[in-house]
Amino acid sequence: MRAARVAGTLLARLTGVLFLGFALFHLLPGDPVSALTRGRPVTTEDLATIRAGFGLDLPLWKQFTSYVTALAHGDLGTSLAAHRPVADMLAERIGPTLLLTVSATVLSVTVGIATGVAAGWRPRGIGDRVGTGAAIVLWSAPTFWLGMLLMAILGVAAGLFPIAGMRSTESGGGGVLDVAHHLVLPCITLAAVQYAQYHLLIRSAVAAERHAVYVTLARAKGLPDALVRWRHAVPNAMAPTLSLVLTNLGFVVSGAVTVEAVFSWPGLGDLTFEALRGPDPPVLHGTFLLLCGSVVTADAIADVVLRRFDRRGGTT
Amino acid sequence: MTLLELDGLSVAYPAGQRWARAVRGVSLSVAAGEVVGLAGESGCGKTSVAMSVLRLLPRTAKVTGRIRFGGTDLTGATWGELRAVRWAQAAVVFQGAQHALNPMHRIGTQIAEPALRHGLVTRSAAAAHAADLLQRVGLAPELARDHPHQLSGGQRQRALLATALSCSPRLLIADEPTSALDSVSQAAILGLLRELAAERGIGVLLVSHDLGALAAVCDRIAVMYAGRIVEQGSAEAVLGDPAHPYTEALTGAATVIGDPATRYAPRSLGGAPPDPLSTAPGCAFAPRCPHAGPDCGGEIPLRPAGPGRLVECVRVAS
Amino acid sequence: MTGWRPLLPAAAAGTTLTALGLLSLTVPAARTLPGNASGPHLAPPSARYPFGTTDTGLSVLDLVVFGAHRTLIIAALSTALALGVGTATGVLAGHFQGWPDRVLSRFTQWVLVLPQLPLAITIAAVLGPGLAQLSLAIALAYWPATARVVRAAVVATESLPHLERARALGAGHWRQIRVHTWPAVLPVVITCTTLTLGNALLSEATLSFFGLGDTTSVTWGGMLQDASGIGAITAGAWWYLLAPGLAITLVVMVCSIAGRSTEAALGRHQAHGLLLRRPRWRRSAAGEPAGPEPV
Ligand SMILES: Nc1ncnc2c1ncn2[C@@H]1O[C@H](COP(=O)(O)OP(=O)(O)OP(=O)(O)O)[C@@H](O)[C@H]1O
Ligand code: SF4
Ligand SMILES: [Mg+2]
């Protein structure tokens, strides 16, 4: 029953993404293709190819049916720059994006829990002021600027980490350590941007938990402060945090797109960046559909997971 | 032997720029093997007294006066000393069982936790200990595996009592331990408290608004009004022959045993209790008292009125 | 609601923002962009050029001051658009309930789930370059947060007794909204304004970095893109990045602080989850604003 409802919502939302993709690239008053390519060196043949690729010369309903049919066959058109199927290009970019987002989320959640718990347990203490201050500054800085600063300081000036790409060699060799080395700066940047949310949320959740009756009971039981905090207050504060991790994917993906562009990390964000520079409208269309579609799907999965957790943990 | 001795205990909570004086100089003692009842309307400060014993009030609360437990002064105790007393010596059954159990942990874990942490049982014996305690309070041992939201209100209240007994304390402070129970279960729990006091010599401070419940188990009863104990003495004397006009009104009001409505509005009593922010001198009960006179606005003496009996009212002849 | 004290940071931040707005409006009138660059090219900070110079020999500090004008105009324009759409949607959904609410709320919820940046990037790309297009793209990605919070505030307000009385007495929709609902919802809208303003500034910078900015004038985001375009990082010219980035960070920070403190002053129940997305977890728990949120 529940599952059916979630599935229904998901289906409706995915259809929405489909329509939006169609509308943006087919329906807009004026010509999206000339808008996209304005001021860029494109020949008339190129324009004609793009138009034909999107089927812009056909009647609208025909455009839509062929759009849907093609998508159903996994056909997202052909890249203008690479002359390859867009679907193939997208597929090889998914891995790096997942690696970056997952590692950065783990890092920011870990640090966010550590500092958020300390800050929430003693609000207005020194730890709170430092941690929360840092969180607000990081929250306010543009992601790509933060990335460029890190790149300039740790990458260029100190020479500690590579500043671009995922591997040292073009051929794809280099091994796990090499990839990890390349991952450091993008991961820190993306984690820094997300960190603020986790810190602030855990802080306020823990601060609220301090006054929960069961926390007072834990103290009354004669447990040491650390045990009261980590066994009784924090697990309850984790529930909203888990929820944030799972429902925050749109924000994480937005950050990842930016970070990838800065560090040329070969994921979907970097591909978006290339598509804009190209200009390569079919690729841009492809990254748009994939990013929106996967975030919408992930949100539905998160919904199911959370409800399950909700029932077990009980909100009393 | 006196276990707990409160001497001039006052509790104030910050309220904006002022202080809400919830407890205003309470002196009370509980001996081993004795059940002492603390009665009074909602908001009169019963919970504040109960929670101040183990220093469980919020940091912002200002507590003055002396709290002595088994000869040591808890008001100046270090965190280490306090931790040694907490639960191992004195345990509390919290008011509001609905929120007192941790939603994330299993019932059995929560019951055995204090005994485990105070080194009274081993990790392998913890489950059996929890099962044992559950049975003692009349619950099925299988409940140990459940989470709090799977229990009924009454079951949670019993589980909380089982938690309090985990370390076999010398003093038990029970804040409304039967308010979520039907009258049969209520009688069973009160019987258990009585038994603990009689057979194990545990001192019990039983907080309740329900005079009928208190009458059934208490040796002594203290009646609180607006942060002060206005009358205390043996249960028969206080309830059978109330000396203070407030106690008189309460006993008249408490004819319906176990009816929570009596807690909010003693029926024979008009008006409402005073604002805890108030600093007006004289008897706090005066606005509602049928016997009030001009002499009630001054200092009210605490007068002995019989053996072990203290009453705070100008109308009472010593 | 513990008096005016919690509003202190908000007031300070509000004053700063207003001063900044006035400054940005007057600066271009008072001076024009130094067209012919006179300074050394890509020079590090010095007494004369406290934040260094650009590759064309302009003072970075001068550019930042000059660029405030266009940057803030874009931010203000997109904020106004996002707030207009968001508030209208929220009030309509919250006030009329029933099917308009279901449709609008589902739509809002859907856009809210979409990743904002890819959305804004794609919209900006197909709309083409320009101040209006850029602002519209930002607004279209950022209106749903406002809509949801405003809707919740409207529902909470309209369940109050005096409004039910007004309804019973036959006040028209427009009158109910104008006289009773709007004054209560206004503080929430103000909080949304500050937070959306911050988001808009960040988006302007990010979209500029992606080459989708307003290239007809100087903006802070555009400066950062120019800096990265000439390879300022690998050239070690960090100062070209420093001032514009700091300017953005500072203004966004002022916005966040203003938003957070108004939120705190309003009390959790009204504006909770503006800066942070409200966790779905506690959505239906006790203490939340009255009124069902269609899932
Ligand atoms: N944490 C607190 N902060 C501020 N005021 C408080 C706090 N706890 C209690 N009070 C106030 O102190 C007074 C006494 O409260 P207390 O909980 O001790 O009463 P009570 O007799 O236990 O009432 P009840 O029968 O409802 O449990 C009340 O006026 C209450 O509003
Ligand atoms: S002192 Fe006066 S007012 Fe107070 S209870 Fe006695 S008679 Fe009533
Ligand atoms: Mg109480």
Side-chain angles (χ1 to χ4, degrees):
Chain A
M1 247 247 349
R2 250 245 64 86
R5 246 180 84 174
V6 173
T9 308
L10 173 62
L11 206 66
R13 287 182 175 179
L14 284 176
T15 315
V17 171
L18 218 68
F19 269 106
L20 186 58
F22 180 76
L24 283 174
F25 288 84
H26 294 252
L27 271 188
L28 238 57
D31 186 347
V33 174
S34 55
L36 263 164
T37 52
R38 191 180 305 158
R40 315 270 170 121
V42 222
T43 63
T44 13
E45 288 105 87
D46 281 345
L47 279 180
T49 323
I50 304 175
R51 290 214 170 86
F54 280 110
L56 289 180
D57 37 6
L58 301 172
L60 204 56
W61 66 270
K62 235 180 175 161
Q63 286 182 35
F64 187 70
T65 46
S66 60
Y67 175 82
V68 174
T69 325
L71 278 181
H73 289 90
D75 178 10
L76 286 164
T78 309
S79 158
L80 295 182
H83 306 291
R84 293 177 53 205
V86 173
D88 293 359
M89 295 173 70
L90 292 177
E92 63 200 34
R93 301 291 190 127
I94 293 175
T97 295
L98 274 180
L99 176 62
L100 176 62
T101 46
V102 171
S103 60
T105 301
V106 170
L107 179 63
S108 58
V109 169
T110 314
V111 180
I113 288 176
T115 61
V117 168
W121 199 246
R122 298 244 179 285
R124 289 160 201 283
I126 176 93
D128 182 21
R129 283 177 204 276
V130 173
T132 306
I136 291 183
V137 172
L138 289 175
W139 165 268
S140 306
T143 311
F144 71 94
W145 181 64
L146 220 56
M148 294 197 302
L149 283 189
L150 279 178
M151 191 191 258
I153 298 165
L154 294 178
V156 176
L160 289 175
F161 303 103
I163 58 169
M166 191 166 92
R167 292 191 167 89
S168 303
T169 52
E170 276 293 309
S171 55
V176 179
L177 275 182
D178 186 44
V179 172
H181 197 210
H182 281 77
L183 181 61
V184 173
L185 289 183
C187 180
I188 292 180
T189 310
L190 186 52
V193 174
Q194 295 179 63
Y195 161 74
Q197 289 208 312
Y198 297 121
H199 171 89
L200 293 175
L201 185 78
I202 292 168
R203 176 190 179 277
S204 69
V206 169
E209 286 298 321
R210 282 186 319 147
H211 303 297
V213 184
Y214 49 79
V215 171
T216 310
L217 175 62
R219 205 174 288 129
K221 284 176 172 177
L223 306 185
D225 190 62
L227 219 55
V228 174
R229 191 188 322 185
W230 289 102
R231 255 185 76 82
H232 289 273
V234 173
N236 284 288
M238 277 309 106
T241 310
L242 173 71
S243 160
L244 183 67
V245 172
L246 292 177
T247 53
N248 204 23
L249 294 153
F251 182 77
V252 177
V253 164
S254 295
V257 166
T258 316
V259 170
E260 286 180 7
V262 173
F263 290 97
S264 311
W265 183 262
L268 292 163
D270 189 48
L271 190 60
T272 309
F273 194 49
E274 284 170 18
L276 287 170
R277 296 231 150 161
D280 201 340
V283 173
L284 184 65
H285 174 248
T287 55
F288 172 80
L289 281 189
L290 182 57
L291 288 173
C292 289
S294 50
V295 167
V296 165
T297 312
D299 185 77
I301 297 172
D303 201 23
V304 174
V305 171
L306 280 178
R307 301 231 173 228
R308 181 146 282 201
F309 191 76
D310 208 0
R311 215 172 319 139
R312 218 189 69 78
T315 45
T316 51
Chain B
M1 186 192 66
T2 307
L3 268 182
L4 175 69
E5 206 178 336
L6 305 177
D7 189 8
L9 176 74
S10 292
V11 176
Y13 299 101
Q17 306 296 326
R18 299 160 69 194
W19 291 95
R21 298 168 58 210
V23 180
R24 307 177 174 210
V26 158
S27 300
L28 184 70
S29 67
V30 180
E34 185 186 33
V35 182
V36 176
L38 189 59
E41 257 169 297
S42 182
C44 70
K46 305 183 296 292
T47 299
S48 303
V49 170
M51 298 300 269
S52 61
V53 173
L54 289 182
R55 305 226 329 239
L56 296 171
L57 292 172
R59 271 165 202 277
T60 50
K62 191 172 72 180
V63 181
T64 51
R66 272 225 304 217
I67 303 161
R68 294 175 69 81
F69 178 80
T72 52
D73 189 351
L74 291 184
T75 25
T78 64
W79 288 113
E81 289 165 356
L82 207 54
R83 267 214 300 279
V85 174
R86 283 177 172 178
W87 234 253
Q89 305 279 323
V92 185
V93 180
F94 281 59
Q95 183 178 16
Q98 314 313 316
H99 306 287
L101 290 164
N102 192 325
M104 302 295 283
H105 297 314
R106 292 179 196 282
I107 298 294
T109 317
Q110 303 195 46
I111 292 178
E113 182 178 32
L116 196 62
R117 298 294 165 188
H118 285 281
L120 301 174
V121 299
T122 60
R123 201 165 281 277
S124 52
H129 185 60
D132 192 35
L133 287 163
L134 278 170
Q135 259 166 337
R136 181 111 54 89
V137 297
L139 288 178
E142 290 76 41
L143 287 185
R145 283 194 301 275
D146 284 349
H147 282 91
H149 70 277
Q150 292 165 287
L151 269 57
S152 73
Q155 285 174 324
R156 278 182 233 177
Q157 203 152 45
R158 286 169 187 245
L160 213 55
L161 179 60
T163 313
L165 299 177
S166 186
C167 297
S168 310
R170 291 160 67 201
L171 175 71
L172 187 65
I173 298 167
D175 193 353
E176 311 269 11
T178 59
S179 57
L181 301 178
D182 59 273
S183 52
V184 177
S185 324
Q186 193 175 1
I189 292 296
L190 292 174
L192 177 66
L193 291 179
R194 187 67 261 176
E195 193 183 301
L196 288 168
E199 290 171 15
R200 303 210 189 179
I202 294 181
V204 180
L205 179 61
L206 180 58
V207 174
S208 179
H209 62 274
D210 184 349
L211 286 184
L214 293 179
V217 288
C218 292
D219 300 307
R220 288 195 299 120
I221 287 184
V223 178
M224 263 186 101
Y225 186 77
R228 290 193 63 82
I229 291 182
V230 292
E231 173 165 12
Q232 62 173 299
S234 74
E236 305 89 68
V238 170
L239 297 180
D241 177 25
H244 194 280
Y246 178 63
T247 318
E248 206 171 356
L250 267 192
T251 48
T255 45
V256 187
I257 294 173
D259 177 3
T262 55
R263 156 186 203 161
Y264 299 107
R267 263 177 302 162
S268 62
L269 207 55
D275 184 357
L277 289 172
S278 140
T279 50
C283 178
F285 189 56
R288 305 165 83 184
C289 181
H291 311 292
D295 47 344
C296 299
E299 188 76 9
I300 312 294
L302 186 64
R303 295 199 177 127
R309 188 103 185 261
L310 290 168
V311 184
E312 198 173 75
C313 173
V314 292
R315 295 282 173 273
V316 174
S318 42
Chain C
M1 296 285 167
T2 48
W4 50 271
R5 213 166 252 283
L7 277 170
L8 211 58
T15 315
T16 315
L17 278 180
T18 315
L20 210 74
L22 289 177
L23 186 77
S24 74
L25 287 180
T26 49
V27 158
R31 72 208 273 186
T32 47
L33 182 63
N36 42 352
S38 50
H41 292 193
L42 218 54
S46 61
R48 180 121 196 267
Y49 302 103
F51 282 90
T53 64
T54 70
D55 55 323
T56 52
L58 290 167
S59 161
V60 174
L61 184 61
D62 280 358
L63 270 181
V64 167
V65 173
F66 183 83
H69 177 63
R70 185 54 74 96
T71 311
L72 292 179
I73 281 188
I74 295 174
L77 191 57
S78 31
T79 303
L81 281 171
L83 248 89
V85 176
T87 310
T89 313
V91 169
L92 287 181
H95 179 77
F96 288 101
Q97 311 268 317
W99 69 264
D101 184 21
R102 277 199 294 281
V103 171
L104 289 175
S105 294
R106 286 215 176 127
F107 184 66
T108 309
Q109 218 52 48
W110 171 64
V111 185
L112 201 57
V113 170
L114 297 180
Q116 284 156 346
L117 187 64
L119 187 62
I121 284 179
T122 313
I123 297 176
V126 298
L127 287 179
L131 183 146
Q133 288 92 327
L134 179 62
S135 307
L136 186 63
I138 297 174
L140 286 177
Y142 282 96
W143 65 269
T146 305
R148 196 187 55 183
V149 179
V150 168
R151 178 192 172 277
V154 169
V155 171
T157 309
E158 297 203 343
S159 60
L160 295 177
H162 71 275
L163 252 159
E164 295 193 340
R165 203 180 56 219
R167 200 153 36 235
L169 289 177
H173 288 297
W174 175 238
R175 190 183 152 73
Q176 280 176 42
I177 293 174
R178 197 168 43 86
V179 178
H180 298 284
T181 310
W182 183 245
V185 172
L186 190 63
V188 176
V189 176
I190 292 172
T191 314
C192 288
T193 311
T194 55
L195 295 172
T196 309
L197 196 62
N199 277 329
L201 263 168
L202 287 175
S203 296
E204 186 274 328
T206 308
L207 290 179
S208 296
F209 173 72
F210 276 88
L212 297 165
D214 175 17
T215 45
T216 59
S217 183
V218 181
T219 67
W220 293 338
M223 286 181 70
L224 287 173
Q225 199 226 347
D226 290 343
S228 88
I230 62 143
I233 301 168
T234 38
W238 49 269
W239 55 86
Y240 197 169
L241 297 169
L242 198 64
L246 276 181
I248 296 172
T249 308
L250 281 177
V251 178
V252 175
M253 212 159 81
V254 168
C255 291
S256 309
I257 291 171
R260 274 173 66 85
S261 52
T262 19
E263 189 177 348
L266 286 176
R268 304 233 138 252
H269 58 289
Q270 280 210 26
H272 178 61
L274 282 170
L275 177 54
L276 301 169
R277 287 210 186 174
R278 178 199 311 239
R280 200 175 312 197
W281 178 261
R282 293 260 164 95
R283 189 178 283 168
S284 57
E288 287 286 275
E293 196 165 337
V295 182

